[in-house]
Structures are given as structure tokens and as C-alpha cells.
Amino acid sequence: MPTVTVDGTEIEVPDGATVLQACELAGKEIPRFCYHERLSIAGNCRMCLVEVKPGPPKPQASCALPATNGQEIRTDTPMVKKAREGVMEFLLINHPLDCPICDQGGECDLQDQSVAYGRGGSRYHENKRAVTEKYMGPLIKTIMTRCIHCTRCVRFSEEVAGVDEIGALYRGEDMQISTYLEHAAKHELSANVIDLCPVGALTSRPYAYEARPWELKKTLGIDVSDAMGANIRIDSRGREVLRVLPRTNDDVNEEWLSDKARYQVEGLTRRRLDRVWIRHDGKLQSADWNEAFALIAEAGRGGSVGAVAGDMLDCETMFAAKRLVNALGSDLVESRQGGMAYPVGSLSAVNFNTTFAGIETADAVLIVGSNIRWEAPLLNVRLRKAAKRGAKIFIVGPHWETTFPAEFLGDDASVLHDLPDHVASAMQGAARPAIILGAAGLVAGAHGPALALAHAWNVVRDNGGDTWNGFNVLHMAAARMGALMLGFARPRGLAELVQAAPKLLLSLGADELDHGKFAGALKVYIGHHGDKGAASADIILPGSAYTEKAGTYVSTEGRVQFADKAVFAPGDAREDWTILRALADALGVTVGFDSFDQLRAAMIADVPALGVEGLVDYGALPAADSAERAGGAIAYPIKDFYLTNSIARASAVMQRCSAELLHGEELAEAAE
């Protein structure tokens, strides 16, 4: 490891480190605009200048200079100070002085660094240049006159998202950053360029002029738009969530976030259920809690009760529902509302065993029945890294536009039994092979046995040794793994509940459930949006969305994470566990908790792994029986990336993204 001296302090730095990284290891703050830890080095803003000996007697860009043994680095000399002031002065020559109306105000790197490293005034009085606004879609607002050409957005689109949509035009002072032919950015991670932009050139269009950062309360949360468990920060003011930003977690989402996770929160204030409703003569009418509880108690007296959990529920709600159902003498609980019926005896057989970070090291990947870009956009980023390292990727399923080199083997599940020779040899010869089984490979039906076959494909080989488990199941529901850990599932899935024909059905945010299968039951919907589930219910009890309650979530890789409550639910809506606790009293049963702390303690006592943040060890894969052949056409379950849940469907931003980015509808201006 090289040894360098930073401002008189001698330190060791890792091989391949840059001078900028060496300075940071020494505790020195180095200003920068173009440099970013997860992007390639551009070295074009020149703000990170330092003095290095041995070397030429001039400031050098620390981000692009390798740290070598014996270097003497100075970050505080008069030469460095003058150089940084000069760079800042040049950057501000054409930058407009519109900080009071800029949405980046308070979070702007240019503001902060001009105060810390700039001069007190400018010597340039010429007219500033102006750049016409570029249209980048419904999510990104552009004022490109503010652009300082750091090219972070360009490098993110090319290197992380894998979509060459943003680039630079012209040269010198005429240089402009733009999308190709000024079309909208259409990939699922496009809004991350807003976080990357160090100035106000790229800002959030839906969030424009909403608030300043110091007005907001910041709450740590977990995203529920997919099963990745991305770490988020929920920014709220009063009782309204104004925006969601990613939190850095290298093991999960790094520092990226999908567009849906970021902007579906706009739907939290629309189509909300804020009072109790009861259906009379086919029409829903407003009612009170006591009237609803009386009807529910009458239907549930015989103990014929079932509960179905939705895709965005926290573990505490599902545990409370299971306790209530069990107290009534029933065990009819299910979380796979779409009708999937895969084996649940071993959780390692339905887990993403390589982990998200581990999949980057795979050298051969077979994807079965999954459109990764729509089911888990952040996992797609990981697969791009694996492909860059040389991994061969094969896909069984209908064609979708990948962002990495991949070979499609067809959309019939039977191809799994007769893989082409080059695919079989690549998988068998790989040191770290991996299979990713998506939702389309898990559905009950003609190709349901694909699970057993894919399972056996990994079990029969010794590749990777004891430390590598290459079998992965990619769920789409944030509640799925938590539900399976809690036993909120039946061996034959939803079919058992339908066959049992319960008299009382508790639908816990189950908007994708076909309620018509329970025609003889009193259907009670406990949820937060007037979506499909509420439209089919006989009684509606208003619940809380994921930002309005604390909870425990388990991602598809078996990672337990905790979220805090950001805001209160509107109107008469209550946290789901309190509704279930009140129902227990109405039904005359005991569930063993009276507060959230007691509920969580009871859940952890029942499933201790839910009390420890981090990955859960589900043990080794069980033996698999691959005698049954898979067959039938694979069809991906997600038809519209932006409208997959009740919150997203209520969001005007997500509806516009769906219409414009997926269906090609043109934006109608007000005058039209």
C-alpha cells in the first residue's frame, strides 16, 4: 500500500486510490463538482485542485491523479487557495444569479463551495450566455443556463442506467447537455440525475416550488414499490409527504432509487380512504366504526374467517391479522394474492440467496420469467456490473430491452429442459453460476414446475463451493418474504381459501386480489386507497399507508429492515394494527397485545429473526425433485411499470409517465 503525506500527516492508502481519496482518508475536505464515487473520472471541473510534490509546480486535479508512494500533498497552500478561487470565478461567469427562485437552493453544491472556496466578487461584467430549456420528460425539470458541464448526468445514464440518452452537443462556450433529439428520458432510473446534479440545472418537475429543505421533517423509511427494500428518506411538511429521496446503503440500493419509488408518493394524498364505508343495496354509504364492527362481528361468530395480505404490508400488520384469525379458530391466511402457489416449506428455496451485492460477482446468469428492468430496476444495475465483469447472461421469457449483453432463449418454459449446448456448458463450467427466477416462473399453471427444475439445476452442481448459493427467487411484493417468515401462507396458496369459502374475508390492502372468488363472504377491506380492493368490498375500514406507520419489512434477499412513521393518516384512517386490535374486541377474542411495542415484541418472540436488522440465514437449499417437466408460454405479470400498486395508480405523475413514456401519448399544453 502506498504511503503519502497529506498536509504533514503520513497515511497509507489502498492500491489504485487517487489523490482525492487519499486526502479524504486523511480527513481533508476536497471540493468537487464532476467527481462522484460511483461514476467514472472525468476531471473536467478542476475544482479539486491540490499541490503535489514531486511534480510540476502547479495545482493538479486530485480526482484524476493516482496516489503513489512518497507523495507530499498540500491542500491548504496559497497556490491551492488562489487556484480554487479562480476556478470558481470561471464557473460563475455564465451562471445566472437566480438562487432565490432555484429549487436547488439550500442543497446546492455551487452555493456551498462558492462561499467556502470562492472569492468575494467577480471581475467579469460581460453578458451571460443563455441556453434554451431541454425537455427531459415529466420528471426532470431543466434550466440548462445553470449547467456547469460536470457531465455527471451523462456518465450516470451511460454507466449505471445503461441507456445512452443524455449527451453533450457543440464545444466550448456553446456546449450544451441534452437528451437525444430532446426526447424524454425513458428509463426507470432517470430521476437519479436530479440528485447527481450539483447545481439547479436538473431539478424535480413534480416538486418544483414546493418547499425548501429546511422546512421539511426527514424520516427514515423503506420503499415498498418492489421487493428490493430500497432505503429511502421521507421528507414531509405537516401531514403531507412532499418527496422521497434515496439513502445510501451499499448492500441494497447503493444510492439510487427507481422513478416509481421516488414519485408514487404524490398519490398518497389522492383517492384516500378517510372514513368508514358500508355497502347497502350495491352502493357504498358512509358509516361509523361501531356499525361496521357490529356487522363484522356477526359474520365472524362462526369462526369461518380468512385473511389475504396485500403487497405493501408491514410484518406487524400481518402478524396482528394472523393472531386475530387464529384466535377465531381459523388458519386461513394467505399473502400471495395473485394466485402463486410455490412451495414454502424452506425459505431458502424462495430467497435471493446470492444477495444483491453478491450477484455482481456471478460469471453466468440464467434469468427465468423475469423482466428485471420493471420488476427490480435496482437489481438491473447490479446485473450490468456483472456483465461488465464478463458474466454471460441468458434469459428465458418474452423479449425485453436489456441494458446489458444477454441472449434470449425463447418464451416457452420447456426450453429449460433442453438448454442449448453453449448455454449448458456456460452454466456448468462457471465458477459462480446463478439462476434468477422471476414472478412469471412462479405462477401456478403450465410452467409452475420451472421452480423445481431451476432449483435442481443449482443443487446438482458443486460450482462455487460451500460459500456460493446461486439459486435466487426475485419477488415483486415488499411484503412477500416477511409474510412467508410469519407463516402467512397456505401450502396450495389462494386456492385453499377459495375452497374453504370463509364467511368473513379480511382483505388487507389486497388490491390485486380477485374478490369475485369469495362471493359468499362478507368482504372487509382494510386499506388506504379507493382502488380495486375497495371497489369490491362490502365494508371499508380506512387504514394507513407505508409512510404513516412504523413497520418491519423483509426484502427478497431476506434482509430485515425497519421504517419509521413520517406523517399521520388523514381523516378517520387508523394504523392497521389498531383496527385489527379493535376488531378483536368486537369479535370477543384476545390477541395478546394492546400497543405497538407489545405487538412488535410478540412478533419477535414468535419469529426472532424479525427483531434483528440485516440478512436472515434461511439455511441450505433442500433437495429438489425435477421429475416434473415445465412447459407453457411465459408471460410477465407487470404490464405497466408505473401503475403497479394502488398508490402509484392514484398518482397523477405516474399516470402521466405511463401515458407519455410507455404509451407514446403527447403532452397537451394548457392552450391546447
Side-chain angles (χ1 to χ4, degrees):
M1 296 174 64
T3 300
V4 300
T5 302
V6 181
D7 291 342
T9 303
E10 189 174 282
I11 62 168
E12 284 190 347
V13 299
D15 292 327
T18 64
V19 169
L20 187 149
Q21 291 169 328
C23 293
E24 290 190 332
L25 287 173
K28 301 295 181 180
E29 181 180 353
I30 303 297
R32 84 290 298 270
F33 292 113
C34 68
Y35 176 79
H36 191 277
E37 293 81 359
R38 302 186 195 278
L39 304 176
S40 63
I41 295 172
N44 54 7
C45 78
R46 319 308 289 182
M47 194 63 204
C48 63
L49 294 173
V50 296
E51 188 176 348
V52 181
K53 296 178 181 178
K58 64 177 184 179
Q60 300 192 60
S62 60
C63 69
L65 184 65
T68 58
N69 194 51
Q71 278 179 334
E72 183 180 344
I73 306 166
R74 301 292 301 186
T75 67
D76 54 1
T77 64
M79 177 195 294
V80 172
K81 183 176 184 296
K82 182 178 179 181
R84 290 175 179 172
E85 288 178 350
V87 170
M88 181 60 68
E89 191 174 10
F90 275 125
L91 288 174
L92 294 176
I93 290 174
N94 285 313
H95 195 80
L97 300 178
D98 56 1
C99 298
I101 63 165
C102 177
D103 273 316
Q104 197 77 355
E107 300 171 311
C108 179
D109 292 348
L110 190 63
Q111 278 183 335
D112 297 340
Q113 294 184 35
S114 63
V115 170
Y117 303 101
R119 296 178 71 250
S122 174
R123 293 169 288 180
Y124 293 89
H125 304 287
E126 290 77 16
N127 292 331
K128 294 178 180 288
R129 70 161 191 166
V131 181
T132 56
E133 180 181 344
K134 314 297 180 185
Y135 183 69
M136 290 192 181
L139 302 180
I140 305 171
K141 178 184 177 183
T142 64
I143 301 182
M144 301 311 291
T145 303
R146 301 170 181 162
C147 180
I148 62 171
H149 304 152
C150 71
T151 68
R152 281 186 182 181
C153 55
V154 177
R155 285 174 284 149
F156 171 83
S157 297
E158 293 179 356
E159 299 165 12
V160 179
V163 181
D164 295 336
E165 288 187 335
I166 303 178
L169 302 174
Y170 317 122
R171 302 176 64 185
E173 191 182 49
D174 296 326
M175 181 177 172
Q176 299 180 18
I177 303 295
S178 176
T179 52
Y180 181 65
L181 296 181
E182 298 190 21
H183 285 178
K186 295 184 179 180
H187 60 85
E188 300 78 22
L189 301 170
S190 64
N192 286 287
V193 300
I194 297 169
D195 298 335
L196 287 173
C197 185
V199 294
L202 304 178
T203 56
S204 173
R205 189 180 292 272
Y207 180 69
Y209 309 124
E210 286 287 339
R212 288 300 190 190
W214 54 83
E215 301 174 341
L216 305 176
K217 183 184 78 171
K218 301 168 178 61
T219 309
L220 306 184
I222 301 297
D223 171 48
V224 297
S225 66
D226 56 31
M228 290 284 290
N231 289 203
I232 58 175
R233 192 187 84 194
I234 304 166
D235 287 357
S236 58
R237 183 176 59 193
R239 302 187 67 159
E240 184 179 359
V241 174
L242 293 181
R243 68 175 179 179
V244 159
L245 297 176
R247 283 188 290 132
T248 300
N249 188 329
D250 289 338
D251 294 326
V252 184
N253 57 308
E254 298 177 288
E255 60 184 82
W256 317 125
L257 194 61
S258 74
D259 292 349
K260 179 169 59 179
R262 188 184 296 261
Y263 287 111
Q264 72 171 8
V265 294
E266 191 258 350
L268 288 171
T269 58
R270 292 172 168 80
R271 298 187 192 170
R272 286 305 300 266
L273 299 173
D274 58 359
R275 67 183 73 174
V276 177
W277 297 87
I278 298 177
R279 191 177 300 276
H280 293 293
D281 299 325
K283 293 184 178 180
L284 288 171
Q285 298 179 10
S286 181
D288 60 31
W289 290 94
N290 292 330
E291 183 182 355
F293 283 179
L295 291 173
I296 295 170
E298 183 179 349
R301 281 200 184 99
S304 179
V305 181
V308 180
D311 292 345
M312 298 185 289
L313 282 189
D314 55 294
C315 292
E316 285 82 358
T317 298
M318 290 184 285
F319 179 78
K322 187 181 179 186
R323 271 285 178 95
L324 176 60
V325 171
N326 292 162
L328 291 167
S330 173
D331 60 355
L332 298 175
V333 293
E334 181 55 61
S335 60
R336 295 161 292 180
Q337 56 176 329
M340 297 179 184
Y342 44 81
V344 294
S346 170
L347 292 182
S348 61
V350 290
N351 185 47
F352 202 93
N353 293 293
T354 64
T355 72
F356 301 144
I359 197 66
E360 297 178 10
T361 65
D363 47 7
V365 183
L366 178 64
I367 302 173
V368 181
S370 178
N371 181 343
I372 301 287
R373 283 186 63 174
W374 281 11
E375 294 176 19
L378 298 173
L379 179 62
N380 195 70
V381 174
R382 305 279 191 177
L383 288 175
R384 272 185 52 78
K385 293 184 182 180
K388 286 181 179 179
R389 289 188 170 104
K392 298 179 180 178
I393 301 178
F394 309 98
I395 302 176
V396 178
H399 189 276
W400 48 277
E401 188 176 350
T402 64
T403 59
F404 45 78
E407 180 181 351
F408 284 83
L409 306 178
D411 60 359
D412 196 302
S414 62
V415 73
L416 290 168
H417 298 276
D418 303 297
L419 289 173
D421 292 340
H422 69 286
V423 178
S425 61
M427 295 296 292
Q428 292 170 355
R432 298 167 74 85
I435 285 182
I436 299 176
L437 194 66
L442 296 176
V443 296
H447 54 274
L451 174 65
L453 181 73
H455 185 177
W457 182 252
N458 276 267
V459 173
V460 296
R461 292 194 325 281
D462 297 326
N463 306 45
D466 296 335
T467 60
W468 180 256
N469 182 347
F471 178 69
N472 301 302
V473 172
L474 179 61
H475 297 292
M476 297 188 303
R480 184 74 76 243
M481 286 303 293
L484 296 178
M485 290 177 68
L486 290 167
F488 211 95
R490 303 294 302 164
R492 292 192 294 112
L494 198 63
E496 286 195 39
L497 268 71
V498 175
Q499 186 175 359
K503 298 299 182 183
L504 173 62
L505 178 71
L506 300 178
S507 177
L508 306 168
D511 289 293
E512 316 305 324
L513 175 67
D514 183 3
H515 290 80
K517 295 180 179 179
F518 299 91
L522 178 70
K523 296 179 280 293
V524 179
Y525 178 78
I526 304 175
H528 40 78
H529 274 77
D531 203 74
K532 302 174 184 176
S536 305
D538 300 311
I539 298 176
I540 297 174
L541 304 179
S544 298
Y546 70 104
T547 57
E548 298 157 4
K549 56 186 174 182
T552 304
Y553 299 91
V554 187
S555 70
T556 188
E557 66 170 350
R559 184 179 298 276
V560 177
Q561 300 182 108
F562 306 112
D564 296 329
K565 179 178 180 176
V567 294
F568 289 94
D572 290 337
R574 298 290 183 265
E575 293 185 32
D576 299 345
W577 75 268
T578 63
I579 298 174
L580 295 165
R581 176 63 185 83
L583 271 177
D585 286 344
L587 291 163
V589 296
T590 302
V591 289
F593 57 86
D594 295 312
S595 67
F596 181 78
D597 290 339
Q598 292 178 2
L599 168 61
R600 177 170 277 180
M603 180 185 73
I604 294 173
D606 197 45
V607 185
L610 291 176
V612 182
E613 190 169 16
L615 289 173
V616 179
D617 183 5
Y618 295 127
L621 283 171
D625 180 13
S626 60
E628 194 173 4
R629 288 181 63 88
I634 291 175
Y636 300 133
I638 295 182
K639 306 303 180 185
D640 191 320
F641 169 72
Y642 297 102
L643 303 176
T644 57
N645 60 63
S646 59
I647 301 175
R649 287 190 286 267
S651 167
V653 175
M654 291 293 93
Q655 291 174 10
R656 178 174 166 185
C657 285
S658 172
E660 183 178 344
L661 304 182
L662 292 185
H663 303 292
E665 296 182 17
E666 293 187 4
L667 171 64
E669 298 291 348
E672 300 179 59

